[in-house]
Amino acid sequence: MAELKRLKRELIHKGSIIDLYKDYVEIPNGNIAEWDFIGHKGAAAIVPVTDEGKILMVRQFRNAMDRNTLEIPAGGLNSGGQEPTIECAARELEEETGYKSQELEFLISIATSVAFCNEMIDIYVAKNLKPSKQNLDDDEFVDVEEYSVDELCNMIFTGIIQDSKTISAILAYKEKYCS
Amino acid sequence: MAELKRLKRELIHKGSIIDLYKDYVEIPNGNIAEWDFIGHKGAAAIVPVTDEGKILMVRQFRNAMDRNTLEIPAGGLNSGGQEPTIECAARELEEETGYKSQELEFLISIATSVAFCNEMIDIYVAKNLKPSKQNLDDDEFVDVEEYSVDELCNMIFTGIIQDSKTISAILAYKEKYCS
């Protein structure tokens, strides 16, 4: 395995959820490669399972994709990324779906875009859902929908669901709990 | 579903594989939200299956993650994103693993980071692999390793594999071909 040595990380832009840096990396042939790096503070996501075994999903407009997407609930870590991911998961579940759970079980961690970004998402399964109150951010608009695991799998293979955290989460949930 | 209207997209930084923009989006309460947007030209990835049913994986140092990762082979689309994803998949398979295939079957498409980036990766399954020649980019250093699907699943649930395209691809492959 080749060892690469980062010589410098230069801030280009400080954003609200991401920061852009230019990295200068010495590669084994001695050359200096210049690679863009996106810094992200991390996130948590939830597979909310109803007592009937259905999954609660959120549909929302995603500016970056220029369209609506169907995803599991998720959100960025508070406190500059210091919030424990299980607390973020519990909070986002309640804020986005209007249900809360005290039974959150860790499923998997994913790195969304390893080629240029350090974003990590810890994904939890939430059971024993209790009605609470949806509490969205000012710029957040979310519809909640309910599907069976088989319906969601079908939507993954027909391209209706494309979000990587959702595909990873639903297929991991099915593999761990339904096989 | 709330309709959001993008008023302006402003280029902040033009990079080699990603560009950073600031978007000005009118939200339903009339306020203007400023959201960062990362433009990406798209990519293709491959689940290379040997005649024995093993999967070829690549291990490489990922600067953004500050560590080595174990992933399926993948790479960005050439020709400014105009390259057909199946051609990119065939090319990257040969370049990164040293094997080629004329049997590529579409598996799924994923959007890696819908909250801020438009990156899409089309994932193909490659069978009937024939030895060819590894041909890496100057700044690319990759080891090729071979695992069973069950070994890879175990690595997903124990956190050894975290890359979202790899988790999506391996679990989708298992769901479609091995269940």
Side-chain angles (χ1 to χ4, degrees):
Chain A
M1 178 69 48
E3 277 302 313
L4 305 184
K5 187 177 168 198
R6 188 164 62 242
L7 306 176
K8 194 167 62 162
R9 169 161 287 172
E10 192 177 281
L11 180 66
I12 307 266
H13 172 79
K14 195 155 186 55
S16 54
I17 63 165
I18 53 172
D19 303 318
L20 172 66
Y21 299 84
K22 178 168 282 197
D23 284 351
Y24 298 81
V25 180
E26 186 178 336
I27 59 178
N29 66 11
N31 288 348
I32 311 295
E34 294 183 16
W35 288 337
D36 292 323
F37 166 66
I38 302 289
H40 186 286
K41 294 183 180 61
I46 314 98
V47 181
V49 186
T50 70
D51 292 347
E52 295 74 38
K54 299 279 186 81
I55 310 293
L56 299 188
M57 302 284 291
V58 292
R59 188 181 294 277
Q60 61 194 306
F61 180 81
R62 287 298 200 173
N63 171 65
M65 302 303 294
D66 265 329
R67 61 176 171 83
N68 296 321
T69 58
L70 190 62
E71 305 171 32
I72 57 170
L77 304 181
N78 280 347
S79 309
Q82 296 306 303
E83 183 182 31
T85 59
I86 193 168
E87 290 177 21
C88 177
R91 183 174 52 71
E92 291 287 346
L93 170 67
E94 190 169 357
E95 286 178 8
E96 294 199 350
T97 70
Y99 285 86
K100 59 185 174 182
S101 167
Q102 294 192 314
E103 278 184 38
L104 268 70
E105 185 179 328
F106 176 74
L107 182 64
I108 53 170
S109 288
I110 69 168
T112 54
S113 306
V114 295
F116 58 85
C117 178
N118 67 348
E119 183 186 21
M120 292 290 307
I121 306 179
D122 280 359
I123 302 174
Y124 293 85
V125 172
K127 293 189 173 174
N128 203 4
L129 305 177
K130 303 292 181 198
S132 175
K133 195 173 168 300
Q134 205 185 32
N135 178 25
L136 299 170
D137 295 338
D138 282 350
D139 59 356
E140 203 173 32
F141 305 90
V142 164
D143 291 344
V144 181
E145 303 175 10
E146 195 180 295
Y147 296 95
S148 71
V149 173
D150 284 345
E151 285 172 325
L152 294 173
C153 272
N154 190 45
M155 287 194 263
I156 290 168
F157 286 104
T158 54
I160 294 168
I161 292 176
Q162 295 186 315
D163 171 51
S164 71
K165 71 174 173 303
T166 302
I167 295 176
S168 299
I170 297 300
L171 294 177
Y173 174 78
K174 184 170 186 192
E175 173 74 15
K176 184 168 177 182
Y177 291 87
C178 314
S179 62
Chain B
M1 178 69 47
E3 276 304 312
L4 306 183
K5 187 178 169 197
R6 188 164 61 240
L7 306 175
K8 194 168 64 164
R9 170 161 286 174
E10 192 177 282
L11 180 66
I12 307 265
H13 172 80
K14 197 155 185 54
S16 53
I17 65 164
I18 53 173
D19 303 320
L20 172 67
Y21 299 84
K22 178 168 282 196
D23 284 352
Y24 299 82
V25 180
E26 187 178 337
I27 60 178
N29 66 12
N31 288 347
I32 311 295
E34 294 183 17
W35 289 336
D36 292 323
F37 166 65
I38 301 289
H40 187 286
K41 295 182 178 62
I46 313 97
V47 181
V49 185
T50 70
D51 292 348
E52 296 74 36
K54 299 280 185 84
I55 310 294
L56 299 188
M57 304 284 290
V58 292
R59 189 181 293 276
Q60 63 194 305
F61 181 80
R62 286 298 199 174
N63 172 62
M65 303 303 294
D66 265 330
R67 60 176 173 83
N68 295 321
T69 59
L70 189 63
E71 304 171 33
I72 57 170
L77 305 180
N78 280 347
S79 309
Q82 297 306 303
E83 182 182 31
T85 59
I86 193 168
E87 290 177 20
C88 176
R91 183 174 52 71
E92 290 287 346
L93 170 66
E94 188 169 359
E95 287 178 8
E96 293 199 349
T97 69
Y99 284 86
K100 60 184 175 183
S101 167
Q102 294 191 315
E103 278 183 37
L104 268 69
E105 183 179 328
F106 175 74
L107 182 64
I108 52 170
S109 288
I110 70 169
T112 54
S113 306
V114 295
F116 59 86
C117 178
N118 67 347
E119 183 186 22
M120 294 289 309
I121 306 178
D122 280 359
I123 303 173
Y124 293 85
V125 172
K127 293 187 174 175
N128 203 3
L129 305 176
K130 303 292 181 200
S132 175
K133 196 172 166 300
Q134 204 185 31
N135 178 24
L136 299 169
D137 294 338
D138 282 350
D139 59 357
E140 204 173 32
F141 304 90
V142 164
D143 290 344
V144 181
E145 304 175 10
E146 195 180 293
Y147 296 95
S148 71
V149 173
D150 284 343
E151 285 171 325
L152 295 173
C153 272
N154 191 44
M155 287 193 263
I156 290 169
F157 286 105
T158 53
I160 295 168
I161 291 176
Q162 296 186 315
D163 172 51
S164 71
K165 71 174 174 301
T166 302
I167 295 176
S168 299
I170 296 300
L171 293 178
Y173 174 78
K174 183 169 187 193
E175 173 74 15
K176 185 168 178 183
Y177 291 88
C178 313
S179 61

